[in-house]
Amino acid sequence: MSAYVEALIQRRLERDRLRELIEDAEAEHGPVDLTAVDAKRAILRGDTAGSADAA
């Protein structure tokens, strides 16, 4: 049981750190362009047909 709780705590700490990194990046560079994120995600998934402007 303690290993399970430890894993949950570690996951929470990782998410908190990630949230801080995102907030810092957005403060410095502005909000994330969700259209660009979707286009890059399509490339990673191999769906390049609908992502001509993703480069």
Side-chain angles (χ1 to χ4, degrees), residues 9-25:
I9 292 169
Q10 289 299 323
R11 185 178 309 155
R12 178 58 191 240
L13 290 172
E14 290 170 0
R15 287 182 179 178
D16 289 348
R17 282 187 230 127
L18 181 57
R19 186 176 298 114
E20 289 175 11
L21 286 171
I22 291 169
E23 289 172 357
D24 289 347

Side-chain angles (χ1 to χ4, degrees), residues 24-53:
D24 289 347
E26 286 186 338
E28 185 174 339
H29 303 286
V32 174
D33 179 0
L34 295 180
T35 304
V37 171
D38 288 339
K40 300 294 185 186
R41 187 175 287 142
I43 291 171
L44 291 172
R45 291 182 178 157
D47 177 24
T48 58
S51 59
D53 62 343

